[in-house]
Amino acid sequence: MDRSNSTSPVVGFILLGLSAHPKLEKMFFVLILLMYLVILLGNGIIILVTALDSRLHTPMYFFLGNLSFLDICYTTSSVPLILNSFLTPRKTISFSACVMQMFLSFAMGATECVLLGMMAFDRYVAICNPLRYPVVMSKAACVPMAVSCWTAGSMTAMVQTSLAMRLPFCGNNVINHFTCEILAVLKLACADISINVISMTVANVIFLGIPVLFIFVSYVFIIATILRIPSTEGRKKAFSTCSAHFTVVVIFYGTILFMYGKPKSKDPLGADKQDISDKLTSLFYGVVTPMLNPIIYSLRNKDVKAAVKNLVLRKHVIQ
């Protein structure tokens, strides 16, 4: 669209969400609210026990605490907006609020990609080089690693958001999504977005492709090392230390691949069904995955379960 043909610059956006399906809105409001409360409770408990229990003051649980805090930040940047959209007839958001929400969501998503790679490296060193583990994964190394994850995610989000906001928005202001998802916003720009597409492609390679490759190589070495352990009990113990992380990785990246890798229907009659499917998949990625993370780590980790039990017992003793 030529900017000269526009009427006036956009000062806000309308979030379409599930406006065409009001019955689904009521059902999903209750469902997502319950999920959000579970996210806050579950990840909050993980953060609490990893901070208070001295037995969990190890690199693995340090990164797990970061992951839980990240999941809370990520969902808080979008879920309240989604819940509000289910309740209000006119689902509007100001330009500045849209920019902030877009930045936070992109930053948290990119940070999680890198953080999962760091956690894979932690498991690789613990299983493949256990004697060097205290030196390689010392506190002096873990803190900069975690800081680099947050910094990298914030920097790429700043670049992508800045590029998006420099575009002119002067016509259609209806975002066909629950939130200010950057791809949905770019579709509304009345200018060439080729630079944005190239920039996002580079960011996807760096923050999706490289971590996935790194995690894959790490687990190849991890599995090879586990298979060389002579005792069955030893193999089982070694595998249990990384099974929770591997499960989280499969869910996280599996959902992303399903979202962006599935073929698009060319049937116009199926466009509405596909549109709803895409939105519900994004909800799964943005809400269900952060909810499952603390459940997976607590169910598959004896140390976390013991720490939670001790925390509950300590609370009863104090009372």
Side-chain angles (χ1 to χ4, degrees):
M1 184 186 299
D2 186 1
R3 189 175 185 178
S4 61
N5 295 332
S6 62
T7 55
S8 59
V10 170
V11 295
F13 296 98
I14 299 173
L15 300 169
L16 195 59
L18 292 174
S19 299
H21 307 275
K23 292 183 179 179
L24 286 179
E25 284 188 322
K26 295 177 182 178
M27 180 182 70
F28 276 100
F29 174 82
V30 176
L31 186 62
I32 292 177
L33 177 60
L34 292 175
M35 289 182 177
Y36 184 52
L37 294 176
V38 173
I39 289 170
L40 295 179
L41 179 62
N43 286 288
I45 289 175
I46 293 290
I47 295 171
L48 197 61
V49 297
T50 54
L52 297 180
D53 198 312
S54 59
R55 294 171 299 178
L56 301 185
H57 291 174
T58 62
M60 182 174 77
Y61 297 110
F62 170 73
F63 287 119
L64 176 58
N66 273 265
L67 179 64
S68 294
F69 180 68
L70 189 150
D71 283 339
I72 290 176
C73 293
Y74 179 75
T75 51
T76 302
S77 72
S78 59
V79 170
L81 181 62
I82 295 172
L83 292 174
N84 181 65
S85 72
F86 288 150
L87 295 177
T88 55
R90 188 168 179 81
K91 313 166 196 308
T92 58
I93 182 172
S94 66
F95 192 86
S96 58
C98 185
V99 173
M100 180 58 66
Q101 194 274 320
M102 192 190 320
F103 169 80
L104 290 174
S105 294
F106 201 99
M108 297 303 105
T111 301
E112 183 156 358
C113 291
V114 182
L115 185 61
L116 288 174
M118 295 290 186
M119 295 174 77
F121 177 72
D122 170 71
R123 293 299 84 208
Y124 162 76
V125 178
I127 293 174
C128 300
N129 295 283
L131 297 179
R132 297 189 59 199
Y133 184 75
V135 177
V136 176
M137 300 303 295
S138 63
K139 185 177 180 179
C142 290
V143 173
M145 288 170 67
V147 171
S148 67
C149 293
W150 289 90
T151 302
S154 299
M155 287 181 65
T156 189
M158 188 176 297
V159 170
Q160 301 303 328
T161 306
S162 299
L163 288 174
M165 292 304 102
R166 289 175 63 184
L167 294 168
F169 296 91
C170 42
N172 181 17
N173 68 335
V174 179
I175 300 175
N176 190 17
H177 210 275
F178 295 108
T179 62
C180 289
E181 201 268 339
I182 191 166
L183 293 177
V185 173
L186 289 178
K187 293 178 181 178
L188 305 181
C190 48
D192 181 27
I193 61 170
S194 56
I195 297 298
N196 302 77
V197 173
I198 294 171
S199 177
M200 287 199 66
T201 301
V202 173
N204 287 338
V205 171
I206 295 173
F207 289 92
L208 286 175
I210 294 178
V212 167
L213 180 62
F214 185 80
I215 292 169
F216 175 77
V217 172
S218 297
Y219 272 100
V220 168
F221 284 105
I222 288 172
I223 293 172
T225 302
I226 291 176
L227 292 177
R228 289 198 297 266
I229 297 176
S231 67
T232 304
E233 187 65 27
R235 288 196 298 269
K236 184 178 179 181
K237 184 178 180 180
F239 181 75
S240 66
T241 64
C242 59
S243 59
H245 173 261
F246 183 76
T247 304
V248 169
V249 166
V250 170
I251 294 174
F252 180 78
Y253 286 106
T255 308
I256 293 177
L257 291 175
F258 179 78
M259 283 173 62
Y260 298 106
K262 66 178 181 178
K264 300 296 181 181
S265 174
K266 295 182 180 181
D267 180 11
L269 297 176
D272 184 57
K273 290 183 179 179
Q274 180 176 308
D275 184 53
I276 295 176
S277 175
D278 291 341
K279 291 177 181 179
L280 296 183
T281 303
S282 70
L283 275 183
F284 180 88
Y285 168 73
V287 181
V288 178
T289 303
M291 182 188 71
L292 291 178
N293 287 353
I295 296 174
I296 292 169
Y297 273 101
S298 61
L299 290 178
R300 302 184 69 104
N301 192 298
K302 294 180 180 179
D303 294 334
V304 173
K305 286 192 287 186
V308 172
K309 185 177 180 180
N310 289 338
L311 182 66
V312 173
L313 290 175
R314 186 187 306 176
K315 182 179 178 180
H316 283 303
V317 169
I318 295 175
Q319 289 177 343

